[in-house]
Amino acid sequence: MFGKLCKYEWRYMLRIFVPMWALVLVLSVINRFTLYAPTDGGLSSTVVNLIFFALIMSIFALSVVSLIVVIQRFYQGLLKDEGYLMFTLPVKSGALINAKGLTAVLLMFLSGIVGIMVFLIIGTQGVLWSDVVEMFRDLGDVSRYYGISGGDWTLMIIWGILATLASVAFSLYHMYTALALGHLAKKHRVGMAVVSYVAINMLLTVINTMLANLVMELGGFEWYSHMLSSIDRMPEAVVFGEIAMTVVFGLGTAIFFFVTRQILEKRLNLE
């Protein structure tokens, strides 16, 4: 049943975002040629600027719509009228939360990939294959200097992706918890959700400051800086930092999930 919930969410998301992703990529391809075209060749600078402006606005719209859709799917799907239907399904509230959360994380990740593709499409204009070969040759020299093997690169990439996903999940479940807390109010629930989000941010700032001071007193920053600057331990230091980020964001996500689930199971009021 959890798989069906994810499939339902994913289909809804794709109907919105596939056209937007396609638009951004098409505009990127067009800009690849127009930005570097001579303006005296019949293509006015005004047209070039308008096409580039359209690309910037489409990227901005993609970012805004992503945020709105993520919030709307959780709020309308679990805290408003659609919640009556969702909570009659033979699944636990945790599965309902995670179906929306995991789908949203994947959506944000794919949007990030589209953003990287935009950079590559436009930024590699005029780059020759020999330049790419030279870049990888230089990268190989740097890897040999720092003693970075292919396995080290694999670990750094994998844990980097996991840390990024954990960070995105942390931010999303943060919003879910704020929405759930705001729903506890009898009136002005959206406003209370905003207040809850800000309050959680303030609490996180205090916790981060306390943990940073503790790590500093224990010499953790100095130890990690020394480890990172050491030629033979640099890959190990990078992977360690990525694992630490994954664990911290993962624990934070788990806490947000637990709080949200408890509210939906014990205190949910759809009236």
Side-chain angles (χ1 to χ4, degrees), residues 2-271:
F2 177 74
K4 292 182 178 179
L5 289 172
C6 292
K7 186 177 181 180
Y8 170 75
E9 290 292 327
W10 186 238
R11 284 182 174 178
Y12 180 91
M13 297 288 195
L14 288 182
R15 287 199 298 267
I16 298 175
F17 286 96
V18 167
M20 298 190 68
W21 291 335
L23 175 63
V24 170
L25 292 176
V26 169
L27 287 174
S28 300
V29 174
I30 295 174
N31 273 274
R32 178 182 174 88
F33 297 101
T34 58
L35 283 176
Y36 301 95
T39 55
D40 57 353
L43 192 62
S44 68
S45 59
T46 302
V47 174
V48 173
N49 292 333
L50 285 175
I51 296 175
F52 183 70
F53 179 74
L55 173 62
I56 297 300
M57 292 305 298
S58 65
I59 295 174
F60 176 75
L62 177 60
S63 303
V64 174
V65 171
S66 298
L67 180 62
I68 292 176
V69 169
V70 166
I71 294 175
Q72 182 262 346
R73 288 304 299 163
F74 182 84
Y75 188 72
Q76 296 292 339
L78 297 180
L79 303 179
K80 297 293 286 184
D81 293 342
E82 192 178 339
Y84 286 105
L85 174 62
M86 298 300 293
F87 284 103
T88 60
L89 297 175
V91 292
K92 295 182 178 181
S93 58
L96 296 174
I97 297 170
N98 283 331
K100 297 184 180 298
L102 294 177
T103 305
V105 168
L106 181 58
L107 170 76
M108 296 294 188
F109 182 71
L110 292 178
S111 294
I113 292 178
V114 171
I116 294 175
M117 292 176 65
V118 170
F119 172 78
L120 293 176
I121 290 172
I122 297 179
T124 57
Q125 173 66 16
V127 177
L128 302 176
W129 177 250
S130 58
D131 297 327
V132 176
V133 173
E134 183 65 24
M135 181 189 69
F136 278 102
R137 184 180 294 115
D138 293 339
L139 183 62
D141 293 338
V142 173
S143 298
R144 284 188 292 272
Y145 177 78
Y146 284 101
I148 306 176
S149 64
D152 293 330
W153 278 112
T154 301
L155 284 176
M156 286 190 288
I157 292 173
I158 291 176
W159 280 108
I161 293 174
L162 290 176
T164 301
L165 293 175
S167 173
V168 174
F170 178 83
S171 299
L172 288 172
Y173 280 73
H174 178 184
M175 289 189 293
Y176 290 169
T177 301
L179 289 170
L181 289 171
H183 201 72
L184 296 176
K186 294 182 179 180
K187 296 181 180 180
H188 309 297
R189 289 175 171 174
V190 175
M192 290 304 300
V194 174
V195 173
S196 298
Y197 185 86
V198 174
I200 294 173
N201 261 338
M202 295 174 63
L203 178 61
L204 289 175
T205 301
V206 173
I207 294 175
N208 287 338
T209 302
M210 293 175 60
L211 289 177
N213 290 334
L214 177 62
V215 173
M216 185 178 298
E217 290 180 2
L218 295 176
F221 288 136
E222 182 179 353
W223 169 80
Y224 185 71
S225 297
H226 176 74
M227 183 179 179
L228 193 62
S229 61
S230 177
I231 293 179
D232 58 337
R233 301 192 66 187
M234 194 273 286
E236 179 185 349
V238 173
V239 173
F240 177 83
E242 292 171 339
I243 293 176
M245 289 177 59
T246 303
V247 171
V248 170
F249 284 127
L251 288 174
T253 302
I255 293 173
F256 284 139
F257 167 75
F258 177 77
V259 174
T260 304
R261 187 187 65 181
Q262 289 298 107
I263 293 174
L264 295 187
E265 288 182 349
K266 309 297 184 181
R267 304 289 301 276
L268 181 64
N269 182 9
L270 296 176
E271 296 182 359

